[in-house]
Amino acid sequence: MPFLSQRKMDGMAVIEREYQKKILTECALPAALSAVGERWSFLILRAAFNGLSHFEEFQGTLGIARNILSNRLTRLVENEILQREPDPADRRKVTYTLTDKGRELLPVLIALRQWGERWVSGVPSNPVLVDRDSQRPIAPMAVRAQDGRTLSLNELMWVDRDRLPIR
Amino acid sequence: MPFLSQRKMDGMAVIEREYQKKILTECALPAALSAVGERWSFLILRAAFNGLSHFEEFQGTLGIARNILSNRLTRLVENEILQREPDPADRRKVTYTLTDKGRELLPVLIALRQWGERWVSGVPSNPVLVDRDSQRPIAPMAVRAQDGRTLSLNELMWVDRDRLPIR
DNA sequence: GTTTATCAGTTTCATATCGAAACTATATAG
DNA sequence: CTATATAGTTTCGATATGAAACTGATAAAC
């Protein structure tokens, strides 16, 4: 994917048009969006992260239309984000559970949620997500360097893969 | 918002139904999605982060229909994610630039892009986003504790705001 | 100053998607 | 055997989308 308004960011070099195009075309964002880019998909995943796993649970909790839910679940399963299995305890039921691929969407959901808290709803949501050890809230999601420093937009730049320092 | 499949996560306490409902309703994710939850919105933002700012640039680069682009730009401006201004150099043109609120979506876009690279496109995209200082690629987006430790799903839990340790 | 081109939209219309409600198929409970 | 729960599918009207043509304003060319 791409990013970075180099134009008016002090200190950030202006990107030439050709490179800009490359950044926009060779980007995994459209690929990611085709898997989870629909509104309901995010909300279904949120529910799955909270332990919901049955059709009726999703439908009742989210208030989504049944045909749309059916369609979204199918797509999420096709994309291997959810796993569909008959419930061994009750064969009428089907469970949808997160795969590893699905679980790794957690940072995306958390980042979106934090942004919404800060900029849209305004209110810090009530149950708070905390680190189990310290019992303190998690840190705000941020872009970071390898050593953990958080990076702002003008501390970032694009580099061609071939020109990366070795190691 | 919500999250966390407590059910089968070893060590993670099972959440009671009532609390689960609260987690799902008092969540900023739906709010965030109503602002940026449409496919094109993310792609327009990606382009804006790369320095695109004019209608024709977005249209040509993204291949989006003009009426939809018009609609999405209007909505992004209404949501104060983009700022609309006449171009002082050429009064025919209008520039759309990121606001602070818009720029703070960077972690979301980066997280989505990284996920897409790893799980969908499979290939690490070519221009690489690096830390300007070290010239090394940025770290993978991760949920972290206040002290910077990365946290996995089963190291997370929900706590009611009132029961947070003081400080 | 007239013509032409550019830019940022709007309008139109055909198609695709969505959502509410009713219907279906299978499994379980009594 | 009957009633109910679960996970869908079908139907149909409303909404959103996309391609293409059109508009209005500014700027550039001559």
Side-chain angles (χ1 to χ4, degrees), chain A residues 24-48:
Chain A
L24 284 166
T25 52
E26 294 183 21
C27 173
L29 186 65
L33 285 173
S34 80
V36 292
E38 289 147 316
R39 187 185 136 81
W40 283 118
S41 301
F42 280 107
L43 296 177
I44 291 168
L45 286 177
R46 174 187 65 158

Side-chain angles (χ1 to χ4, degrees), chain A residues 7-8 17, chain B residues 47-48 51-58 73 83 87 94-97:
Chain A
R7 285 291 176 53
K8 44 203 61 160
R17 270 280 171 283
Chain B
L52 302 197
S53 63
H54 299 295
F55 188 95
E56 303 291 333
E57 287 178 328
F58 290 120
L73 286 174
Q83 189 176 7
D87 186 331
V94 171
T95 60
Y96 294 93
T97 52

Side-chain angles (χ1 to χ4, degrees), chain A residues 7 48 67 69 87 101 103 111 135 137 139 144 149 163:
Chain A
R7 285 291 176 53
N67 54 347
L69 174 58
D87 185 331
K101 183 175 173 181
R103 270 188 285 273
Q135 295 278 313
R144 293 173 189 254
R149 281 175 300 121
R163 294 195 204 151

Side-chain angles (χ1 to χ4, degrees), chain B residues 31 46 57 69 90 98:
Chain B
R46 173 188 67 159
E57 287 178 328
L69 175 58
D90 181 346
L98 289 162

Side-chain angles (χ1 to χ4, degrees), chain A residues 1-9 11-13 15 17 19-20 22-39 42-43 46-53 57 61-62 81 97-98 100-113 115-121 124-139 141-146 148-149 151 153-162 164-165 167, chain B residues 1-9 11-13 15 17 19-20 22-39 42-43 46-53 57 61-62 81 97-98 100-113 115-121 124-139 141-146 148-149 151 153-162 164-165 167:
Chain A
M1 205 254 250
F3 298 141
L4 304 194
S5 183
Q6 276 72 9
R7 285 291 176 53
K8 44 203 61 160
M9 291 298 130
M12 186 95 183
I15 293 180
R17 270 280 171 283
Y19 205 59
Q20 205 172 50
K22 186 174 186 183
I23 290 169
L24 284 166
T25 52
E26 294 183 21
C27 173
L29 186 65
L33 285 173
S34 80
V36 292
E38 289 147 316
R39 187 185 136 81
F42 280 107
L43 296 177
R46 174 187 65 158
F49 272 108
N50 275 296
L52 302 197
S53 63
E57 286 178 327
T61 310
L62 301 179
I81 291 163
T97 52
L98 288 161
D100 286 346
K101 183 175 173 181
R103 270 188 285 273
E104 291 218 4
L105 279 167
L106 184 62
V108 177
L109 294 187
I110 300 273
L112 246 186
R113 172 173 135 100
W115 181 86
E117 269 183 53
R118 165 146 190 207
W119 293 99
V120 188
S121 75
S125 318
N126 191 357
V128 180
L129 201 52
V130 303
D131 162 24
R132 165 174 282 262
D133 283 356
S134 69
Q135 295 278 313
R136 296 178 60 200
I138 60 170
M141 296 292 297
V143 179
R144 293 173 189 254
Q146 300 279 349
R149 281 175 300 121
L151 300 169
L153 208 43
N154 58 0
E155 292 173 301
L156 292 168
M157 60 181 292
W158 291 107
V159 169
D160 208 90
R161 186 163 288 280
D162 311 336
L164 282 180
R167 139 230 268 283
Chain B
M1 204 254 251
F3 297 141
L4 304 192
S5 183
Q6 275 72 7
R7 286 289 178 51
K8 44 202 60 160
M9 292 297 129
M12 187 97 183
I15 293 180
R17 269 282 171 281
Y19 206 58
Q20 204 170 52
K22 185 174 188 183
I23 289 169
L24 283 166
T25 51
E26 293 184 21
C27 172
L29 186 63
L33 285 173
S34 78
V36 293
E38 290 147 315
R39 187 186 137 81
F42 278 108
L43 296 177
R46 173 188 67 159
F49 272 109
N50 275 296
L52 302 197
S53 63
E57 287 178 328
T61 309
L62 302 178
I81 290 162
T97 52
L98 289 162
D100 286 346
K101 182 176 174 181
R103 271 189 284 275
E104 291 218 5
L105 280 167
L106 185 61
V108 178
L109 293 187
I110 300 273
L112 246 186
R113 172 173 134 100
W115 181 85
E117 269 183 53
R118 165 146 191 209
W119 293 98
V120 188
S121 75
S125 318
N126 189 355
V128 180
L129 201 51
V130 303
D131 161 24
R132 167 174 280 262
D133 283 356
S134 69
Q135 296 279 311
R136 296 177 61 200
I138 60 170
M141 297 291 297
V143 179
R144 292 172 188 254
Q146 300 278 351
R149 281 175 300 119
L151 300 169
L153 210 42
N154 58 1
E155 292 172 301
L156 292 169
M157 59 181 291
W158 292 107
V159 169
D160 207 273
R161 185 163 288 280
D162 312 336
L164 282 180
R167 136 224 272 287

